[in-house]
Amino acid sequence: MSRFVGTTVLCLLFAAGSAAQDVAICYDGGLPTLGLNDGPGFAQLLVDELGSHGVSAEIVDAPGLAEYMNANPEGIMLVCQGIMPGTIFQAEGEDDLIYGWLRGGGIGGFVGDYPFYYWDAVANAPGGAGQVSVFGVTVTNGTPSSVTPTALGAELIPSLDDWVSNRPAGLGVLEANGFEFESYADDGSNSDPIAYRTEDMKGWFINFHTSCCGTNAPPNEQMAIEYGELISNRFAVDLPVRPAGKTSVAWAKLKSAD
């Protein structure tokens, strides 16, 4: 098969697959991994764990994540290597894909170091201003917090246990700025994991086990189990029924095949 024909077939397969999967797990080997160990292995653990709950998930790279979000305005994605891809975020406010996507109903999650602190490389570091660009205020702080599962957390994430987060979300900031939020583990002041949204967001942002350099984060296997529980019990409950026989192909696999 000629390269031209092969590329055309791959593009057609991806067009089908981008809408067929329920969740996009973003891991890109061209980007650094911050706050976690074994990024590729963790990404696959997440896909496997979601699959065990009947939620289809695929690993996408940075361009593939943007493709997925554009094709799935109310989809679910998780950036699993502690740094935001520049394809969706560059601290440009309304010009960033993730800004409008969250407001339109998308569910975005983040594991690793400080959300929206970096994009593509540690040299690109808007810091707390990155969250201001997306949410209008800095939500994350660097207060090490020994958090305990809330009643809601125990219900939605039965495997969640006490742990120490050093990148939690401040509950006082969320309350003062009119955010809606669901705390899954907190100490009364700081929370992680937590899902929150601004008054103009239809979707949610999930701050999920954020910790600098992975020093306090639970093992990858444990985090994957917890994420599978949260998504299947809370955010994937209203997913549309997928047509039988629809092609679903991982973007990372398509790239390697080209």
Side-chain angles (χ1 to χ4, degrees):
M1 179 181 290
S2 71
R3 181 175 178 81
F4 175 76
V5 174
T7 301
T8 301
V9 171
L10 291 175
C11 289
L12 289 172
L13 286 173
F14 175 63
S18 64
Q21 73 200 76
D22 296 322
V23 180
I25 303 296
C26 182
Y27 174 79
D28 190 315
L31 304 182
T33 298
L34 305 177
L36 290 164
N37 297 315
D38 187 19
F42 181 46
Q44 189 59 55
L45 285 169
L46 289 163
V47 170
D48 294 343
E49 192 61 38
L50 287 163
S52 74
H53 290 277
V55 178
S56 65
E58 294 171 359
I59 300 170
V60 298
D61 61 7
L65 178 61
E67 293 272 7
Y68 169 85
M69 291 168 65
N70 282 318
N72 298 272
E74 295 184 356
I76 303 171
M77 70 83 171
L78 176 72
V79 174
C80 77
Q81 63 192 102
I83 188 167
M84 283 291 175
T87 55
I88 69 166
F89 168 76
Q90 295 188 23
E92 295 180 341
E94 295 182 14
D95 291 334
D96 284 328
L97 174 58
I98 195 165
Y99 183 98
W101 190 74
L102 290 171
R103 282 159 179 80
I107 309 297
F110 186 89
V111 180
D113 204 349
Y114 201 119
F116 300 105
Y117 200 96
Y118 313 95
W119 57 270
D120 275 359
V122 293
N124 302 325
Q131 290 188 7
V132 174
S133 174
V134 178
F135 305 119
V137 66
T138 302
V139 175
T140 300
N141 60 62
T143 306
S145 302
S146 298
V147 296
T148 299
T150 63
L152 180 61
E155 175 187 346
L156 297 177
I157 317 173
S159 297
L160 183 62
D161 203 350
D162 296 2
W163 77 293
V164 179
S165 170
N166 55 26
R167 294 289 188 265
L171 297 179
V173 172
L174 296 173
E175 291 170 344
N177 288 277
F179 282 64
E180 182 180 358
F181 62 87
E182 297 180 355
S183 173
Y184 307 122
D186 64 52
D187 63 359
S189 299
N190 296 299
S191 176
D192 186 4
I194 184 172
Y196 53 78
R197 59 182 176 185
T198 61
E199 292 178 325
D200 64 344
M201 280 171 53
K202 294 181 181 178
W204 294 85
F205 182 76
I206 305 170
N207 185 94
F208 193 83
H209 285 304
T210 49
S211 187
C212 176
C213 308
T215 52
N216 297 316
N220 287 351
E221 293 82 1
Q222 177 64 23
M223 289 194 292
I225 290 170
E226 294 174 11
Y227 187 73
E229 292 174 342
L230 176 61
I231 295 303
S232 61
N233 290 333
R234 171 65 177 88
F235 293 106
V237 292
D238 294 323
L239 287 171
V241 176
R242 304 296 179 185
K246 189 165 187 179
T247 304
S248 179
V249 181
W251 177 230
K253 294 179 182 176
L254 288 179
K255 289 201 69 175
S256 65
D258 189 12

